[in-house]
Amino acid sequence: MRPDCLLKAKTPNLDKLWQNGAYSFSALTDPISSSGICWTAMLTGVWHEKHNVLDNEYTNPNIAEYPHFYHRVKAQKPESKLFSVVNWSPIHKILQEGDADIANYLLTDEKVTGRVTDLLMNDNPDAMFVQLDEVDHAGHEYVYSVNSEKYLASIEKADTLVGKMISAIQNRKTYLSENWLVLVSTDHGGSQNGHGKDIPEHTTIFYIANGKNVKKGELKQQVNVIDVAVTSMKHLGIDTKESWNLDGKVVGL
Ligand SMILES: [Zn+2]
């Protein structure tokens, strides 16, 4: 999702998150702005030079040195319940045995949202990664642009689904005694009918952090896609080690 299009579309649920949280609409994703590379950067906390996912084939990911951040959470807090629910299945190629308690792949964003709200109501995840895919489909089909009504409409639909998931968190019986951090970001932007290049239209993304421990306001420093995993680990109480050689930093807490 392009940040300029997010700001143009009518997105009351996402607006509530950034307006009451920390945010950047000039964050950056990996210079190879394709899904496999960028989702892996988001979930490992390192750029492609380290995680070695260089295309959507995931030929030889370096998960031994740079695993999914769930792997690090499980190593320090094995009792954690970690879920991942996606609409683009290759994302799960970097998960190793035992990293996630639940890893689901569903065919539509609506089904992803249904599964996520069900898990939030009937289970007790410590962390959940959720990926919606249809905004990108709309960009490929119609055009990634503030002038594309259909692209903006797809963003508005995603916003509605985000609203349902946020409500599911807030309706948890134990919500008041819980401390949820919601991070919302994207793998890349786009122009015309594609993405993948190292140009601002493709690499500029948004980053939104919302929760009790968030320092509200616009983030002045450069935020990057790799900051998502590192910020998540901080919130989960993981002691990040120098030897992990992560590229990301904690942002917004
Ligand atoms: Zn795409």
Side-chain angles (χ1 to χ4, degrees), residues 171-203:
N171 289 334
R172 288 173 55 78
K173 286 187 194 80
T174 43
Y175 176 68
L176 289 177
S177 62
E178 295 175 343
N179 182 4
W180 285 87
L181 171 67
V182 176
L183 299 177
V184 191
S185 189
T186 186
D187 55 339
H188 54 70
S191 63
Q192 294 169 331
N193 293 98
H195 54 83
K197 295 181 186 162
D198 185 11
I199 55 173
E201 293 90 333
H202 296 186
T203 59

Side-chain angles (χ1 to χ4, degrees), residues 124-199:
N124 291 303
D126 290 287
M128 180 143 54
F129 174 75
V130 180
Q131 183 257 347
L132 305 179
D133 210 47
E134 288 166 10
V135 171
D136 192 53
H137 302 185
H140 285 294
E141 193 172 350
Y142 305 114
V143 80
Y144 298 80
S145 164
V146 287
N147 299 317
S148 168
E149 271 177 42
K150 288 184 169 161
Y151 186 62
L152 298 182
S154 76
I155 292 172
E156 290 168 3
K157 186 190 163 194
D159 179 76
T160 303
L161 299 178
V162 168
K164 288 183 182 175
M165 293 187 265
I166 298 297
S167 294
I169 293 175
Q170 293 171 342
N171 289 334
R172 288 173 55 78
K173 286 187 194 80
T174 43
Y175 176 68
L176 289 177
S177 62
E178 295 175 343
N179 182 4
W180 285 87
L181 171 67
V182 176
L183 299 177
V184 191
S185 189
T186 186
D187 55 339
H188 54 70
S191 63
Q192 294 169 331
N193 293 98
H195 54 83
K197 295 181 186 162
D198 185 11
I199 55 173

